[in-house]
Amino acid sequence: MYVETVKKTMKLPKTVRILDTTLRDGEQTPGVAITVDEKIRIAKKLDKLGVDTMEVGFPASSPGEMRAAREILKLGLNSQICGLARVLRSDLDAAIDTGVDYIHTFIGTSPLHREYKLKMSQEEILNKSVESIEYIKDHGITAEFSAEDATRTEFSYLKEIYNAVEEAGVDYINVPDTVGVMVPASMRWIISEIKKTIKVPISVHCHDDFGMAVANSLSAVEAGASQVHVTINGLGERAGNASLEEVVMALTSQYNIKTNINTKLLVDTSEFVSRITGIKMPPNKAIVGENAFAHEAGIHVHGVLQKAETYEPITPEMVGHTRRIVLGKHTGANAIKAKLEEYGIELNKDQFCKVFDQIKKLGDKGKCVTDADLKAMSETVLGRA
Ligand code: KIV
Ligand code: ZN
């Protein structure tokens, strides 16, 4: 409702492209290593999900990464297949050798990266970036350029390097918030300023060090970004990247912006990636967590049973989830009645009160009451146990 009001003050894009980097930045999650075969299985899922581009790895980093890119390309998927490369001829050649359609090339641009990591001047970095874009374009491949640590780079230099790669023929410029230092207001500012000088589509890549990767990605879209880098389940270096499921559902349901994602496959994809990577989602994870559509408090359950929107912003069906009514300390009579009805159990008033009291007592002892517990309690009061 309030989003509708503020949306009128923004010039939002009609569609946003989704670049999924689960298989590259997502694989950089500490403790996660994905085999070539697993990458192939995830790539098929991502393609079915509808990601526009999938970054499948960093071909120059290992023979396995090269093989994964080649094998994924052989599948003939609908998504564009992207490989990561530093602005180095050897990295670019490795990516080109795999046959990818899209190369995401990057170099650190902030003073920290220039001084401590690269030991290169602004001019050297700019020249290497331009040469790399020209090289990618000479091979007829889509080129995206990232100024790594863009959000800690002097703004005048950032603009200069983005302008130079644009002149060299880049297809997308990407603004990585490499260590997640932005807040929504600063993200809105930087993207709107870049937009004043850059004509090619602007992409963003937000990390979640302060828990703001999704909010910052949305702010970037508000300011004119038309592509967002995301990962399934928000996997990624340190605290991770912006989560695909959260960004996509906010874009579609809150901003009315279209993506090519089949949102009904979100939970299935999230569970699949979680099984393969071994990274479990917390139950309260937005959109795909086990509790995302679970209700316990009597007041909430009563509301949801009358009209789901009272306590659900979107339906579970939209994302391939299911609604759950959970019994516990906060349960009200309506929830228990609904569960009994679901299981075809009929209790008289007295029997119902006994079950109700038992549930409350268990709840007060800090216990959750499962559906199996409810059935057992009912059997007991019915004298069948
Ligand atoms: O976070 C980052 O800056 C990256 C780059 C490779 C774009 O992942
Ligand atoms: Zn990253």
Side-chain angles (χ1 to χ4, degrees):
M1 169 192 177
Y2 292 113
V3 182
E4 292 306 320
T5 311
V6 294
K7 256 165 51 182
K8 291 186 189 128
T9 65
M10 299 167 191
K11 202 167 170 294
L12 294 171
K14 288 208 165 34
T15 57
V16 163
R17 292 186 91 257
I18 298 297
L19 185 148
D20 179 275
T21 180
T22 306
L23 296 173
R24 198 278 296 171
D25 222 340
E27 202 196 3
Q28 290 175 221
T29 304
V32 169
I34 315 175
T35 65
V36 173
D37 181 54
E38 289 167 340
K39 277 205 176 197
I40 293 169
R41 290 164 65 205
I42 294 177
K44 286 182 186 165
K45 284 272 181 192
L46 293 174
D47 187 57
K48 234 174 136 188
L49 184 66
V51 305
D52 297 288
T53 304
M54 64 176 90
E55 187 167 54
V56 297
F58 184 5
S61 70
S62 80
E65 285 286 276
M66 295 275 289
R67 198 152 58 83
R70 288 200 179 108
E71 294 294 323
I72 291 169
L73 277 154
K74 276 193 211 154
L75 300 172
L77 304 176
N78 292 315
S79 313
Q80 277 184 308
I81 307 299
C82 164
L84 182 74
R86 289 168 292 182
V87 294
L88 291 176
R89 192 55 71 89
S90 52
D91 274 25
L92 297 170
D93 283 338
I96 293 166
D97 264 13
T98 64
V100 290
D101 322 309
Y102 191 123
I103 296 181
H104 170 204
T105 191
F106 74 100
I107 186 164
T109 52
S110 67
L112 280 163
H113 282 239
R114 295 195 311 258
E115 207 177 308
Y116 295 98
K117 193 178 87 175
L118 302 165
K119 306 196 189 319
M120 283 167 77
S121 69
Q122 290 189 347
E123 199 186 348
E124 284 171 305
I125 290 170
L126 187 142
N127 290 340
K128 274 205 161 295
S129 304
V130 167
E131 275 167 27
S132 299
I133 297 304
E134 286 170 351
Y135 192 64
I136 298 170
K137 293 314 295 176
D138 284 348
H139 286 80
I141 298 171
T142 302
E144 175 163 333
F145 173 77
S146 275
E148 190 188 13
D149 209 13
T151 53
R152 292 191 298 180
T153 299
E154 304 90 330
F155 192 62
S156 56
Y157 178 52
L158 193 62
K159 272 200 304 196
E160 194 185 335
I161 197 160
Y162 283 142
N163 280 319
V165 292
E166 179 170 60
E167 220 163 280
V170 83
D171 298 288
Y172 297 88
I173 62 119
N174 183 44
V175 183
D177 186 21
T178 303
V179 290
V181 291
M182 294 302 256
V183 296
S186 56
M187 194 49 122
R188 202 172 295 118
W189 182 86
I190 199 168
I191 300 296
S192 47
E193 287 300 309
I194 292 171
K195 183 118 181 120
K196 286 180 190 162
T197 61
I198 293 289
K199 283 174 216 69
V200 295
I202 301 172
S203 174
V204 279
H205 175 107
C206 298
H207 277 273
D208 209 30
D209 298 71
F210 290 96
M212 285 186 281
V214 171
N216 289 338
S217 303
L218 297 173
S219 250
V221 170
E222 288 177 8
S226 56
Q227 176 168 276
V228 183
H229 284 205
V230 287
T231 58
I232 300 293
N233 297 338
L235 295 176
E237 283 278 356
R238 305 182 309 283
N241 289 59
S243 113
L244 181 148
E245 49 284 0
E246 295 175 25
V247 167
V248 166
M249 288 319 294
L251 287 175
T252 53
S253 74
Q254 302 305 106
Y255 292 85
N256 214 8
I257 294 174
K258 288 195 170 48
T259 71
N260 287 321
I261 299 296
N262 178 353
T263 62
K264 290 194 167 65
L265 299 179
L266 285 173
V267 170
D268 177 64
T269 314
S270 157
E271 287 174 356
F272 186 79
V273 169
S274 175
R275 272 198 306 280
I276 290 201
T277 57
I279 304 291
K280 293 199 172 58
M281 287 299 96
N284 62 338
K285 164 80 169 65
I287 313 293
V288 295
E290 200 189 328
N291 290 352
F293 297 92
H295 308 274
E296 182 187 315
I299 298 165
H300 285 223
V301 172
H302 180 61
V304 164
L305 291 175
Q306 301 304 310
K307 188 149 178 76
E309 287 103 303
T310 51
Y311 287 102
E312 284 175 358
I314 54 174
T315 69
E317 292 78 19
M318 282 168 87
V319 297
H321 216 316
T322 40
R323 181 174 300 120
R324 273 190 319 126
I325 305 295
V326 181
L327 301 179
K329 178 169 144 178
H330 305 104
T331 295
N334 284 304
I336 302 173
K337 278 183 195 150
K339 283 261 180 208
L340 291 171
E341 213 176 292
E342 192 184 326
Y343 292 115
I345 302 170
E346 280 180 35
L347 301 180
N348 64 29
K349 207 171 165 194
D350 188 43
Q351 291 160 339
F352 182 85
C353 288
K354 282 186 183 144
V355 169
F356 187 82
D357 283 351
Q358 281 183 49
I359 291 174
K360 291 280 172 183
K361 275 188 193 129
L362 279 175
D364 275 339
K365 283 185 191 154
K367 301 236 166 25
C368 282
V369 182
T370 64
D371 287 14
D373 293 332
L374 175 69
K375 284 189 215 168
M377 287 173 194
S378 306
E379 291 291 305
T380 307
V381 297
L382 285 165
R384 294 184 197 149

